[in-house]
Amino acid sequence: FSFFADRADTMNFLHYHFLTALLILTTDTVVALSAASLSNKNVVILGGTGRIGTAIATHLIRRSSTLPLSSSTGKIILVGRNVEQGKESVQEVLDSTLEFSSTVTSFEVEFKSISDVWDEKQLSPLFHDAAAVIHTAGPYHNRYPVPLRTAIESKVPVYVDVSDPLPYLDSSLELNEAAISAGTKALVAAGAFPGMSNLMAMEAAGSLPPGCQIIDSGFNYFTAGLGGSGDVNLYITNLGFGDDMPQYEKGRLNYFKALTGKLLGQVDFFTDSESIMAERVGSQQVFSWPFPEAATVARELQIKGRSHAAMGTAPEVWNVMLGLLVNIVPRPWWRNERFSQFMADFSQPLVKATDKWLQLSSPDGVGETHAMRIDVTAEDSNKDVFVSTIVQGHESFRQCVGQSAAEFCIDLLQEQSNERSGGVSLVEQRYRDDDSRKQMIKKMTSTPGTIDYSGPIVTKKATGATVGPSNMDDVMRSVDL
């Protein structure tokens, strides 16, 4: 194919029809894709037939020249349950890679069907020849990290997931010693939020004046509709409404029983009213949700005040409806998987309709806009308070998660190719070093679809000024532990 490298149209035509001819519609669907040549090592994506999984596969192929794997015998393996969906997912990745197919070399994408990604006996054969495992098959609620443990037992060099419940993360971190012994380098909670958001918080904190004491850390997110992430995201959100909200208050971790789902007020997803983020996202209502970074990053930064994590969606009516439902429906009901799934199924038709409207009305024609605002405050020896703010935006939440997880995986593979080592860590732990963190941020904020990245903007906080959601203080006075 290198003969046609300077003839993009001819290349794309031949590439598409040749690869389509290779599509074998069986349980083990195989498509030879143009990408980096791998050794006899594979990249296994659990949940690979989902919306996040295919985004990861596409970005790995886009960035294939950076993969430190050298021969043409390896594959990207998309793992899922449904054979028909597997065929469609392979074709989706094939179609998505046409735009950059002339710039990469050959490797394969394959679909494998298993009935349960939490079954070690089904996972072990898949992991036998894997260079990396990326686990996206949530929800992770009430689960033990079997895929991570299996990857460690199989001595897989790299493991990445997009998990979020704190108990799951705690269980994962307890496997650190086993990972060190096996030479498995694992990064957990490594998507967009949590993941990229944690990286940005560490960067915000590192940009504050020297000698300051970190006081507060705040994570605010926005996603238009489902952000292209798939129906399972409705179910995961509903399950979270049943959890206590883990966040710091007066420098100590607390679990607030009635805080999750509470509307916290407005957040400006911009730092400049004339910026593209002010135009594309603007100010949005957010509600509290138990993202783990409110606890884990606050612990890493040793904050002395409050942390919080919140999200909002569009259209605005969804925020209002969710706030009302959380106040009406008892918390134990949300924790019930059948109830949360019922609520997800019930709302799905309306969500799909609004997602279509968002797509049609969006200036980019995608309708999956995603934004993050991270604020870290600190106090110096003169009692002056400074705020370090970072705002990031992307045209697709789904793509941002996929690109983030893929970039984390590539980073770990590059490190393992130089010197094999092991261990399990969170993003904020792995990227404490300024240089490595800045390098990762540069890669992750230059991905296709990125709307804006403000970088850290440090200001002196005015007396009485609010940092974070507009009604946060009032809400916190009304909730109990």
Side-chain angles (χ1 to χ4, degrees):
F1 287 163
S2 59
F3 178 77
F4 298 103
D6 60 342
R7 303 179 184 181
D9 291 339
T10 304
M11 172 65 191
N12 287 344
F13 176 84
L14 292 175
H15 183 70
Y16 182 87
H17 290 285
F18 176 70
L19 292 180
T20 301
L22 288 178
L23 182 61
I24 304 170
L25 300 181
T26 64
T27 300
D28 296 335
T29 302
V30 178
V31 178
L33 286 182
S34 182
S37 57
L38 302 177
S39 66
N40 60 345
K41 299 295 184 180
N42 305 322
V43 178
V44 178
I45 305 177
L46 304 180
T49 61
R51 299 285 287 160
I52 302 299
T54 54
I56 291 173
T58 300
H59 194 67
L60 286 174
I61 295 171
R62 177 185 286 111
R63 297 270 284 122
S64 59
S65 62
T66 65
L67 289 171
L69 304 163
S70 58
S71 86
S72 59
T73 59
K75 307 166 185 174
I76 291 179
I77 300 176
L78 307 181
V79 180
R81 292 190 298 267
N82 187 290
V83 174
E84 288 303 314
Q85 187 177 351
K87 298 173 186 177
E88 293 171 1
S89 298
V90 170
Q91 189 64 51
E92 177 189 331
V93 174
L94 170 63
D95 293 341
S96 298
T97 57
L98 286 176
E99 62 180 281
F100 48 82
S101 59
S102 61
T103 64
V104 291
T105 54
S106 171
F107 86 74
E108 293 181 348
V109 168
E110 177 176 306
F111 168 66
K112 290 285 188 180
S113 177
I114 66 174
S115 61
D116 187 0
V117 297
W118 303 97
D119 182 358
E120 185 172 356
K121 292 181 179 179
Q122 296 186 57
L123 293 176
S124 292
L126 292 174
F127 293 179
H128 173 68
D129 204 24
V133 170
I134 306 177
H135 178 22
T136 73
Y140 303 84
H141 243 75
N142 300 321
R143 295 285 191 177
Y144 181 80
V146 173
L148 171 57
R149 185 181 66 190
T150 307
I152 292 170
E153 291 172 350
S154 302
K155 298 187 183 333
V156 176
V158 167
Y159 171 95
V160 171
D161 71 30
V162 294
S163 58
D164 49 18
L166 271 178
Y168 188 94
L169 297 182
D170 289 340
S171 297
S172 297
L173 293 170
E174 289 172 0
L175 296 171
N176 181 59
E177 292 300 321
I180 292 173
S181 298
T184 296
K185 182 78 73 175
L187 193 64
V188 295
F193 54 86
M196 184 182 181
S197 58
N198 304 43
L199 200 66
M200 288 165 53
M202 296 300 291
E203 182 69 1
S207 302
L208 287 160
C212 283
Q213 170 65 62
I214 305 295
I215 305 298
D216 301 326
S217 60
F219 299 84
N220 295 290
Y221 309 129
F222 167 80
T223 301
L226 288 176
S229 61
D231 298 338
V232 71
N233 208 35
L234 281 172
Y235 175 45
I236 292 171
T237 301
N238 289 345
L239 284 173
F241 288 141
D243 290 346
D244 297 343
M245 181 65 207
Q247 65 179 50
Y248 273 60
E249 191 71 18
K250 297 181 180 178
R252 297 182 61 181
L253 178 61
N254 293 284
Y255 291 84
F256 293 89
K257 298 183 182 300
L259 183 55
T260 302
K262 289 280 189 182
L263 294 174
L264 302 180
Q266 297 284 322
V267 170
D268 293 337
F269 285 93
F270 58 88
T271 56
D272 179 355
S273 60
E274 301 298 320
S275 69
I276 189 171
M277 290 299 290
E279 178 185 347
R280 290 287 296 272
V281 181
S283 298
Q284 298 288 339
Q285 177 99 276
V286 297
F287 55 85
S288 184
W289 202 84
F291 293 104
E293 53 268 41
T296 64
V297 174
R299 179 177 60 205
E300 178 69 23
L301 294 177
Q302 299 179 355
I303 73 169
K304 298 301 179 183
R306 172 187 295 164
S307 65
H308 80 272
M311 67 178 295
T313 187
E316 169 65 15
V317 65
W318 282 116
N319 297 315
V320 177
M321 288 174 59
L322 287 171
L324 289 172
L325 281 171
V326 169
N327 284 331
I328 295 170
V329 177
R331 299 279 169 175
W333 289 26
W334 293 110
R335 286 193 291 269
N336 183 286
E337 293 182 1
R338 288 186 179 181
F339 176 79
S340 281
Q341 186 63 67
F342 167 78
M343 292 297 290
D345 293 342
F346 177 77
S347 59
Q348 188 180 98
L350 185 55
V351 171
K352 285 186 179 296
T354 55
D355 278 3
K356 186 63 177 177
W357 173 78
L358 288 167
Q359 181 183 9
L360 293 173
S361 60
S362 174
D364 54 28
V366 178
E368 302 171 0
T369 305
H370 143 89
M372 297 191 281
R373 175 173 177 143
I374 312 299
D375 295 292
V376 179
T377 64
E379 187 178 73
D380 67 11
S381 58
N382 296 321
K383 302 299 181 181
D384 289 327
V385 177
F386 296 87
V387 184
S388 182
T389 300
I390 297 179
V391 172
Q392 178 264 356
H394 198 287
E395 67 182 23
S396 169
F397 170 67
R398 169 214 176 197
Q399 294 293 343
C400 189
V401 176
Q403 292 166 356
S404 298
E407 288 294 342
F408 283 127
C409 179
I410 292 168
D411 189 51
L412 265 62
L413 279 169
Q414 290 173 339
E415 181 177 295
Q416 290 291 66
S417 69
N418 294 324
E419 184 178 355
R420 183 75 179 266
S421 62
V424 182
S425 62
L426 298 163
V427 170
E428 61 268 27
Q429 296 170 332
R430 174 169 170 77
Y431 297 100
R432 289 171 176 144
D433 175 71
D434 284 351
D435 289 339
S436 64
R437 185 175 66 247
K438 289 180 186 299
Q439 289 174 14
M440 277 304 294
I441 289 176
K442 183 177 180 180
K443 294 173 185 176
M444 299 174 85
T445 57
S446 58
T447 54
T450 298
I451 298 171
D452 190 34
Y453 174 70
S454 69
I457 298 174
V458 180
T459 57
K460 189 174 179 180
K461 182 186 175 185
T463 303
T466 298
V467 178
S470 57
N471 298 331
M472 183 79 187
D473 289 339
D474 291 340
V475 173
M476 291 304 301
R477 282 191 287 267
S478 69
V479 297
D480 298 320
L481 291 175

